[in-house]
PDB file of all heavy atoms in Angstrom:
ATOM      1  N   GLU A1496     -28.689  13.287  58.315  1.00 91.00           N
ATOM      2  CA  GLU A1496     -29.761  13.531  59.272  1.00 91.00           C
ATOM      3  C   GLU A1496     -29.472  14.864  59.955  1.00 91.00           C
ATOM      4  O   GLU A1496     -28.318  15.142  60.303  1.00 91.00           O
ATOM      5  CB  GLU A1496     -29.847  12.411  60.308  1.00 91.00           C
ATOM      6  CG  GLU A1496     -30.274  11.061  59.736  1.00 91.00           C
ATOM      7  CD  GLU A1496     -30.398   9.998  60.812  1.00 91.00           C
ATOM      8  OE1 GLU A1496     -30.157  10.344  61.999  1.00 91.00           O
ATOM      9  OE2 GLU A1496     -30.715   8.846  60.482  1.00 91.00           O
ATOM     10  N   SER A1497     -30.506  15.681  60.128  1.00 89.00           N
ATOM     11  CA  SER A1497     -30.289  16.987  60.732  1.00 89.00           C
ATOM     12  C   SER A1497     -31.511  17.408  61.541  1.00 89.00           C
ATOM     13  O   SER A1497     -32.643  17.143  61.140  1.00 89.00           O
ATOM     14  CB  SER A1497     -29.992  18.028  59.649  1.00 89.00           C
ATOM     15  OG  SER A1497     -29.559  19.241  60.211  1.00 89.00           O
ATOM     16  N   VAL A1498     -31.232  18.062  62.671  1.00 89.00           N
ATOM     17  CA  VAL A1498     -32.284  18.595  63.526  1.00 89.00           C
ATOM     18  C   VAL A1498     -31.962  20.065  63.777  1.00 89.00           C
ATOM     19  O   VAL A1498     -30.857  20.395  64.230  1.00 89.00           O
ATOM     20  CB  VAL A1498     -32.371  17.836  64.866  1.00 89.00           C
ATOM     21  CG1 VAL A1498     -33.449  18.456  65.759  1.00 89.00           C
ATOM     22  CG2 VAL A1498     -32.657  16.358  64.621  1.00 89.00           C
ATOM     23  N   VAL A1499     -32.910  20.932  63.446  1.00 88.00           N
ATOM     24  CA  VAL A1499     -32.687  22.363  63.631  1.00 88.00           C
ATOM     25  C   VAL A1499     -32.406  22.656  65.104  1.00 88.00           C
ATOM     26  O   VAL A1499     -33.149  22.242  65.994  1.00 88.00           O
ATOM     27  CB  VAL A1499     -33.920  23.170  63.147  1.00 88.00           C
ATOM     28  CG1 VAL A1499     -33.740  24.652  63.455  1.00 88.00           C
ATOM     29  CG2 VAL A1499     -34.133  22.969  61.657  1.00 88.00           C
ATOM     30  N   GLY A1500     -31.294  23.368  65.351  1.00 86.00           N
ATOM     31  CA  GLY A1500     -30.912  23.717  66.708  1.00 86.00           C
ATOM     32  C   GLY A1500     -30.103  22.662  67.426  1.00 86.00           C
ATOM     33  O   GLY A1500     -29.570  22.916  68.509  1.00 86.00           O
ATOM     34  N   ALA A1501     -29.989  21.449  66.840  1.00 89.00           N
ATOM     35  CA  ALA A1501     -29.265  20.357  67.509  1.00 89.00           C
ATOM     36  C   ALA A1501     -28.037  19.907  66.726  1.00 89.00           C
ATOM     37  O   ALA A1501     -27.083  19.393  67.309  1.00 89.00           O
ATOM     38  CB  ALA A1501     -30.180  19.163  67.744  1.00 89.00           C
ATOM     39  N   GLY A1502     -28.029  20.078  65.410  1.00 91.00           N
ATOM     40  CA  GLY A1502     -26.862  19.698  64.629  1.00 91.00           C
ATOM     41  C   GLY A1502     -27.179  18.769  63.476  1.00 91.00           C
ATOM     42  O   GLY A1502     -28.337  18.404  63.238  1.00 91.00           O
ATOM     43  N   THR A1503     -26.113  18.383  62.774  1.00 91.00           N
ATOM     44  CA  THR A1503     -26.222  17.565  61.568  1.00 91.00           C
ATOM     45  C   THR A1503     -25.272  16.380  61.657  1.00 91.00           C
ATOM     46  O   THR A1503     -24.153  16.521  62.148  1.00 91.00           O
ATOM     47  CB  THR A1503     -25.884  18.399  60.318  1.00 91.00           C
ATOM     48  OG1 THR A1503     -26.778  19.508  60.232  1.00 91.00           O
ATOM     49  CG2 THR A1503     -26.001  17.567  59.047  1.00 91.00           C
ATOM     50  N   THR A1504     -25.721  15.230  61.197  1.00 93.00           N
ATOM     51  CA  THR A1504     -24.876  14.034  61.119  1.00 93.00           C
ATOM     52  C   THR A1504     -24.818  13.569  59.676  1.00 93.00           C
ATOM     53  O   THR A1504     -25.857  13.360  59.032  1.00 93.00           O
ATOM     54  CB  THR A1504     -25.423  12.898  62.000  1.00 93.00           C
ATOM     55  OG1 THR A1504     -25.442  13.325  63.357  1.00 93.00           O
ATOM     56  CG2 THR A1504     -24.549  11.657  61.875  1.00 93.00           C
TER      57      THR A1504
END
Side-chain angles (χ1 to χ4, degrees):
E1496 293 182 1
S1497 190
V1498 178
V1499 175
T1503 301
T1504 299

